[in-house]
Amino acid sequence: MTMRSRLAVAAFAILAITTTASAFDRESLTGEKALSSFSSVYIAPVAVSLEQDRDDRPVRDKDAAERADLFREALIDRFEKRFDIADAPGDDVLTVEATLTRLEATRPTLADYSKQPGLAFESVYAGGAAFTATLSENGAPLAEISDRYTSSLGDHSPKIATWQDVDRAFSNWARQLVDFVEEN
């Protein structure tokens, strides 16, 4: 095998690996119906079930509810570009039910100040979030997805907004969910 042939085989192998890589930490197709066969999608209100450890920074219920609403809006914004948005679940309607399981602010929140009154406003954290989602039709599960996103303080991104990294995760997940539905 010539050097050129070896390079071509290696390039093809790398391309195959990168194109089949999962967008999420866990993806599981459980139904027999193709997700891409749906033309309508219902985005259920996003639930919140934070799995926090003792050492985690606190998150107020109000902040969690606001983030859940913003995640739902991000999902609707992305899905409506390629699908009809349904008002309710039903026959031939793909239902997306997401649950936020972790929220980590980039900047101090009111909950942080309540726990640590002397905390400096300039404090910066590697924020992030985690979620799970079930995609179904009339309650019959078709796919399950979960992912966790954590930024890095070394990502050279200015940490300005309180929930900046969480919002970045929402944007990425909304885009990736639409792609996942279209590819499956």
Side-chain angles (χ1 to χ4, degrees):
M1 185 181 271
T2 68
M3 180 62 119
R4 185 182 301 218
S5 297
R6 286 186 198 140
L7 288 173
V9 168
F12 179 76
I14 290 170
L15 180 62
I17 289 169
T18 59
T19 58
T20 59
S22 297
F24 302 104
D25 293 339
R26 188 177 63 81
E27 300 173 353
S28 171
L29 293 170
T30 56
E32 294 182 18
K33 189 169 183 179
L35 301 176
S36 59
S37 69
F38 292 93
S39 60
S40 295
V41 177
Y42 170 67
I43 309 295
V46 173
V48 177
S49 179
L50 300 181
E51 301 167 356
Q52 294 197 310
D53 298 328
R54 226 179 38 181
D55 297 331
D56 287 346
R57 293 173 38 227
V59 177
R60 294 183 323 156
D61 291 342
K62 179 181 178 184
D63 290 336
E66 287 175 359
R67 293 296 113 194
D69 289 343
L70 289 172
F71 186 30
R72 183 171 190 250
E73 288 175 21
L75 290 170
I76 291 171
D77 287 347
R78 279 297 184 156
F79 271 97
E80 73 183 357
K81 292 177 182 174
R82 299 186 191 161
F83 296 88
D84 294 328
I85 301 298
D87 295 329
D91 292 335
D92 297 320
V93 175
L94 179 65
T95 298
V96 177
E97 296 176 276
T99 301
L100 292 174
T101 58
R102 190 170 198 83
L103 292 170
E104 301 170 18
T106 308
R107 291 286 197 151
T109 65
L110 291 176
D112 290 320
Y113 291 124
S114 294
K115 187 176 179 180
Q116 298 177 330
L119 188 63
F121 172 76
E122 296 84 14
S123 298
V124 177
Y125 305 93
F131 87 109
T132 61
T134 300
L135 284 62
S136 63
E137 179 185 22
N138 279 333
L142 301 172
E144 293 180 2
I145 296 167
S146 65
D147 197 60
R148 180 177 179 157
Y149 170 80
T150 303
S151 74
S152 165
L153 292 176
D155 66 3
H156 305 293
S157 153
K159 306 292 185 187
I160 298 169
T162 302
W163 296 100
Q164 176 177 326
D165 295 321
V166 171
D167 294 340
R168 176 178 290 140
F170 292 171
S171 177
N172 289 339
W173 291 333
R175 179 182 42 78
Q176 292 168 335
L177 270 170
V178 172
D179 291 345
F180 179 78
V181 169
E182 289 185 325
E183 292 170 4
N184 291 288

